Amino acid sequence: MPHIWIEYSGNLELDTRTLMQTVQSAAVGDGSLFPLVGARTRALRVDDSLIVDGHPDNAFVHVVLRIGHGRNAEQKAALGERVFQALTRALAPQMAARPLGISMQIEEADPVLNYKQNNYREHLAARAAEAAARLPRTVVGVALNTRQALAALGNAVDAAPYKAAPKAPLLYIKPANTYAQDGAVITLPADVEAVEVGACLGVVFARRATRVSEADALGYVAGYRVVADLSVPHASYFRPALKQKCRDGFCPMSRGLVPAAAVADPDSLDIEVLVDGKAAQRASTADLIRPVARLIADVTEFMSFEAGDMLLAGAPHGAPQVRAGQRYDIRIAQVGTLGNLLAAGHA
């Protein structure tokens, strides 16, 4: 076996010869701790590009030194510090340009000495900030995700066309034509007298999410937005409600992204809707049938989300109806506010 083993991820381009020489020179030093005679190095590229810390862009370099017996603890520690400093200096340009983890292990030491450094969290924060700065590529909504909404169907849930309570999330898309900002005036189509204002918690993804487990789901969340899921009142969830939910401007969203770390529990947030300054609805995300993590797990079982994409957790039952000339405001605790004035369209 080689005395110096360097393993690195396949998504990283390295000048391995120069890196091996750097590590070997630092390890050998003056020859007193790691004699030059017999020293060997080997570098191995892990071609399957291991997904490090949950993101395929993250890269890593791992070094193992086998130093043999006969050195005391102080000598081993001095060797480790010297080599790891040389390693981090050599990889500084890579770390400045991309997410990178550097680790080193000294074997034949008791205890085994380990050294680690990475910038994964910094790049995760940068990805989250980038996601917050742009409009989502995709917004996916879910219907009937509150206990009250399902209960309101009563016995009808067992009759045609439903025939049973939903066994999976009932999803719909809010395409880009529906996007609008906080404070914008939303013009109602000429054939629409009033809209239902679904006050939704918008869950924004920090990175690609595919087949995510419920236990890991919140780790994929960059943050949260307040979203108004506007729709023309309709009674059936059986047919896709494109004409009711996908009109221009029917998905206003708050401008800022509240970081996930700032929201202690997304499943325990108070929601309030005001119409012309008067309380019209009070609810809570505690009423969700599928809490946020479970919803993410269920939906990513069959579709993927990218950084910046948004999943709506579900509107409370009994969404207030608002007409042209009125203003609604939505408040979600710990997340923020969203308000828009509605205007009448022309025939």
Side-chain angles (χ1 to χ4, degrees):
M1 296 294 289
H3 289 89
I4 302 174
W5 179 280
I6 301 175
E7 185 179 80
Y8 63 101
S9 54
N11 58 353
L12 185 63
E13 295 296 330
L14 282 184
D15 181 350
T16 54
R17 181 172 296 277
T18 299
L19 187 62
M20 286 190 291
Q21 290 173 345
T22 298
V23 173
Q24 184 167 306
S25 296
V28 171
D30 60 6
S32 62
L33 296 180
F34 194 93
L36 179 62
V37 177
R40 296 168 55 204
T41 62
R42 180 175 295 171
L44 174 67
R45 180 172 182 165
V46 182
D47 288 324
D48 60 355
S49 293
L50 294 178
I51 299 176
V52 182
D53 202 33
H55 197 284
D57 289 343
N58 294 348
F60 73 90
V61 176
H62 180 63
V63 175
V64 176
L65 299 183
R66 295 183 173 91
I67 64 174
H69 300 286
R71 285 93 180 170
N72 61 40
E74 289 76 15
Q75 289 174 320
K76 295 168 185 174
L79 171 65
E81 292 291 340
R82 185 173 69 227
V83 176
F84 194 66
Q85 288 177 9
L87 183 65
T88 54
R89 284 196 300 269
L91 294 171
Q94 291 274 6
M95 182 164 275
R98 62 170 304 145
L100 175 65
I102 306 170
S103 59
M104 189 182 76
Q105 182 179 38
I106 298 182
E107 295 188 349
E108 304 300 338
D110 187 18
V112 174
L113 297 177
N114 291 286
Y115 303 83
K116 295 180 180 180
Q117 176 182 339
N118 69 69
N119 59 0
Y120 296 147
R121 289 187 180 276
E122 290 81 354
H123 278 266
L124 180 60
R127 292 185 192 112
E130 181 182 357
R134 65 177 186 265
L135 290 173
R137 181 187 64 109
T138 297
V139 175
V140 176
V142 57
L144 294 180
N145 195 34
T146 66
R147 297 178 183 88
Q148 296 87 344
L150 194 59
L153 288 176
N155 294 332
V157 76
D158 296 316
Y162 308 109
K163 297 184 179 180
K167 295 180 174 60
L170 301 178
L171 304 181
Y172 53 90
I173 301 295
K174 303 289 280 194
N177 69 291
T178 66
Y179 299 170
Q181 290 187 332
D182 178 29
V185 176
I186 309 300
T187 301
L188 298 183
D191 61 334
V192 174
E193 294 184 0
V195 292
E196 293 179 343
V197 179
C200 289
L201 177 68
V203 182
V204 181
F205 288 87
R207 59 187 188 275
R208 182 177 178 83
T210 303
R211 292 183 294 277
V212 174
S213 71
E214 184 175 353
D216 296 335
L218 295 184
Y220 286 77
V221 177
Y224 303 94
R225 276 191 165 116
V226 180
V227 179
D229 181 7
L230 304 184
S231 63
V232 179
H234 61 287
S236 175
Y237 294 98
F238 182 62
R239 294 179 178 84
L242 298 180
K243 187 174 181 180
Q244 290 82 8
K245 286 187 171 294
C246 299
R247 303 293 185 97
D248 293 349
F250 269 30
C251 187
M253 60 192 76
S254 57
R255 296 174 185 268
L257 182 74
V258 174
V263 178
D265 182 2
D267 301 316
S268 183
L269 303 176
D270 291 332
I271 300 172
E272 184 179 32
V273 181
L274 294 86
V275 177
D276 292 337
K278 297 181 180 180
Q281 184 181 43
R282 288 188 174 90
S284 171
T285 57
D287 297 326
L288 296 175
I289 294 174
R290 287 179 173 82
V292 172
R294 168 76 184 281
L295 182 63
I296 292 172
D298 286 352
V299 178
T300 61
E301 178 65 27
F302 61 87
M303 67 176 290
S304 297
F305 291 92
E306 301 291 345
D309 288 351
M310 185 160 60
L311 176 62
L312 306 183
H317 177 65
Q321 294 192 15
V322 183
R323 299 176 178 275
Q326 294 185 301
R327 175 188 171 89
Y328 67 81
D329 290 275
I330 301 172
R331 299 171 181 169
I332 300 182
Q334 301 178 45
V335 179
T337 62
L338 168 70
N340 298 94
L341 176 68
L342 302 185
H346 300 288

